[in-house]
Amino acid sequence: MSTQPSSSSSRFDVSLPTRAVFSVPDGAGVGIECRSGTVWVTLDRDPRDIVLEPGDRFDGTEHRRILVSALTASCITVSDAQPAAMPLARPARGWSPWRLRPHGLSPA
């Protein structure tokens, strides 16, 4: 497997030999385009089978891991498909972990 940056820093090419796997930890906003060969795209907890052939493209929209498996010797381009919205952080709790939760009890 080899990678080669394209003209933009948010885009690069990956050459995959047959049966090689390329992983994208967070696929939100990531585009996978098949340049040559045939690849199988799998997302965590997604039952779909996505097969890309030359000219086909997949755009990730969710915060899931993407695995790209080469069914034949292939070349893919990985790029930013769109700005990904990050999940909102949980609001800070208004109580201290050292303070008793209100359950109708009082400290001794």
Side-chain angles (χ1 to χ4, degrees):
M1 176 171 36
S2 65
T3 61
Q4 178 181 11
S6 288
S7 59
S8 168
S9 63
S10 63
R11 180 181 169 104
F12 59 93
D13 297 327
V14 180
S15 295
L16 300 168
T18 302
R19 300 179 69 178
V21 177
F22 178 77
S23 177
V24 178
D26 183 354
V30 174
I32 307 290
E33 183 177 351
C34 182
R35 306 300 239 160
S36 65
T38 304
V39 295
W40 177 23
V41 178
T42 306
L43 292 104
D44 282 352
R45 300 175 312 279
D46 190 325
R48 294 180 293 169
D49 286 327
I50 303 162
V51 177
L52 303 180
E53 295 181 331
D56 292 341
R57 181 179 174 89
F58 171 79
D59 292 321
T61 58
E62 298 180 30
H63 294 280
R64 296 182 180 192
R65 180 179 61 163
I66 296 176
L67 296 176
V68 181
S69 305
L71 300 176
T72 62
S74 304
C75 181
I76 60 172
T77 298
V78 181
S79 62
D80 291 336
Q82 60 190 2
M86 294 300 292
L88 296 174
R90 292 184 181 209
R93 297 183 184 224
W95 54 272
S96 166
W98 302 106
R99 193 176 294 189
L100 292 176
R101 294 185 187 182
H103 290 290
L105 302 173
S106 61

